[in-house]
Amino acid sequence: MDGERLLLLDQRRLPDEERWVDATDPVVMEDCIRTLAVRGAPLLGVAAALCLGLLARAGATPRAFREAAGRLRAARPTAVNLMAAIDRLTAAAPGDDLSRVDGIAMDVFVDDVARCDAMAAHGAALIADGDGVVTHCNTGGLATVGVGTALGVIRRAHEEGRRVHVYVDETRPLLQGGRLTAWELRRLGIPHTLITDSMAALILRDGRAQRVFVGSDRVARNGDFANKVGTYALAVVAAHHHVPFHPVAPWTTVDLGCPDGAAIPIEQRDGDEVRGAAGSFGAVRWCPRETDAYNPSFDVTPASLVTSLVTDRGVFSADDLRRGALSALDG
Ligand code: MRU
């Protein structure tokens, strides 16, 4: 951001091309969100907030501002960070006064960096020297404006000098693990091995990984949480093999208005994402064009499968979650 323009690293083109998109225009930002040029729950909130901040600074009318806020808010339904960030901005713009919006947008940015640091500090203590860990989707610097959520925890343990080996689920259907997490880990110099999602069971059975860390798009009041589809299967497999399983999420991902996982809205995406794959290499389809395909972008993992939830406000054990510890921290 240079004060007038908002540039996003286009995540549709990674890992092969590092191309930046100008998403200052809210119409472009909306398209970037829908098509996952920008993605990851915390980053969605920050990107939308910065876009609206620039719009207000550029002198948009209150009506244009509210229309843009409404469109961005509806661009993806599951990550509550998107709605929370936009609601924070609109609450700061009562009536026709947009003068505070820009400053609040910067606060959303700065908050995310601090929350990532706090999660990393709390979560890294769970990782011992020599541990293998499994992770799913992408939860690092590409999904936040800080060090990340689950990947930030792993990164901190590595930076503190502990030897960690990361097993990266490729994360079908859009391959955020293979395309993005592998790209980040390589740049950070953290040892890692790419696996298909279906191999995680073997990795855990064979004792190659001692913990699982994942992110979240929305945590319900009772500790159930939504994350990239495939997380639930990973949690079941981890429980079967008695491997500790930890979602890592900033408080901006906790939705106390949502009683449990059944109330979390799950984004349904186009079946073509399952029928094949598209990327900087082009597009392929591996089944008949007419094949029916099911494509929920997220699934819900029940709190009963969580060993502990790592947040910027501390670590909550399964018992804490059962006792309603999240709602006790309301406000
Ligand atoms: O569809 P995506 O790529 O936006 O999904 C992202 C995830 O599921 C992440 O795990 C989640 O947002 C937590 S990231 C910090």
Side-chain angles (χ1 to χ4, degrees):
M1 214 173 79
D2 61 8
E4 285 175 16
R5 288 184 319 148
L6 178 55
L7 300 180
L8 300 173
L9 179 57
D10 187 346
Q11 300 194 27
R12 295 166 297 196
R13 296 184 176 266
L14 289 174
D16 293 331
E17 258 184 273
E18 291 178 32
R19 191 183 291 191
W20 293 79
V21 195
D22 187 331
T24 314
D25 180 339
V27 174
V28 176
M29 177 60 81
E30 185 187 351
D31 181 64
C32 284
I33 292 174
R34 288 186 193 280
T35 60
L36 275 59
V38 61
R39 48 150 295 284
L43 183 60
L44 289 175
V46 176
L50 293 177
C51 179
L52 291 169
L54 285 181
L55 189 68
R57 190 194 298 183
T61 62
R63 184 173 168 183
F65 170 78
R66 284 184 207 293
E67 266 174 24
R71 274 202 314 274
L72 292 178
R73 200 179 184 286
R76 292 188 78 190
T78 305
V80 73
N81 310 59
L82 177 62
M83 297 90 190
I86 293 175
D87 291 349
R88 197 170 156 190
L89 259 57
T90 49
D96 283 356
D97 179 10
L98 302 186
S99 59
R100 291 181 56 225
V101 169
D102 192 19
I104 302 281
M106 277 317 291
D107 291 348
V108 170
F109 181 103
V110 171
D111 270 10
D112 188 55
V113 175
R115 289 181 197 278
C116 287
D117 281 338
M119 285 181 279
H122 291 307
L126 296 166
I127 299 179
D129 186 39
D131 271 357
V133 299
V134 175
T135 193
H136 191 69
C137 198
N138 172 264
T139 62
L142 288 171
T144 64
V145 286
V147 292
T149 61
L151 212 59
V153 164
I154 295 166
R155 174 178 174 174
R156 178 65 60 88
H158 167 81
E159 286 169 354
E160 288 174 351
R162 296 196 281 296
R163 284 162 302 161
V164 190
H165 193 98
V166 188
Y167 292 91
V168 181
D169 272 4
E170 66 175 353
T171 315
R172 277 288 291 150
L174 292 181
L175 306 170
Q176 288 93 331
R179 294 186 303 106
L180 309 176
T181 301
W183 182 81
E184 283 201 46
L185 288 171
R186 188 177 153 77
R187 286 166 63 105
L188 292 168
I190 301 176
H192 58 283
T193 302
L194 180 65
I195 58 173
T196 64
D197 303 353
S198 53
M199 293 172 192
L202 293 179
I203 297 293
L204 298 183
R205 185 201 64 186
D206 294 349
R208 293 194 199 205
Q210 284 64 45
R211 289 185 190 271
V212 177
F213 289 95
V214 297
S216 173
D217 283 72
R218 193 182 297 228
V219 180
R221 193 163 67 223
N222 71 343
D224 295 351
F225 73 99
N227 191 47
K228 181 53 56 195
V229 68
T231 301
Y232 173 42
L234 187 56
V236 170
V237 164
H240 183 74
H241 292 291
H242 309 291
V243 174
F245 178 87
H246 308 279
V248 183
W251 201 256
T252 46
T253 302
V254 176
D255 182 1
L256 294 176
C258 206
D260 55 33
I264 300 178
I266 299 295
E267 176 182 8
Q268 301 292 325
R269 295 186 63 87
D270 196 296
D272 276 351
E273 292 177 353
V274 175
R275 282 186 280 264
S280 48
F281 51 82
V284 288
R285 177 170 45 79
W286 44 63
C287 66
R289 197 185 303 279
E290 304 75 17
T291 301
D292 182 42
Y294 178 49
N295 191 13
S297 193
F298 301 94
D299 57 24
V300 172
T301 299
S304 57
L305 294 176
V306 169
T307 307
S308 66
L309 165 69
V310 178
T311 76
D312 48 304
R313 298 179 75 175
V315 179
F316 298 88
S317 68
D319 274 351
D320 294 335
L321 296 175
R322 258 192 303 276
R323 282 199 295 263
L326 297 184
S327 24
L329 278 183
D330 199 359

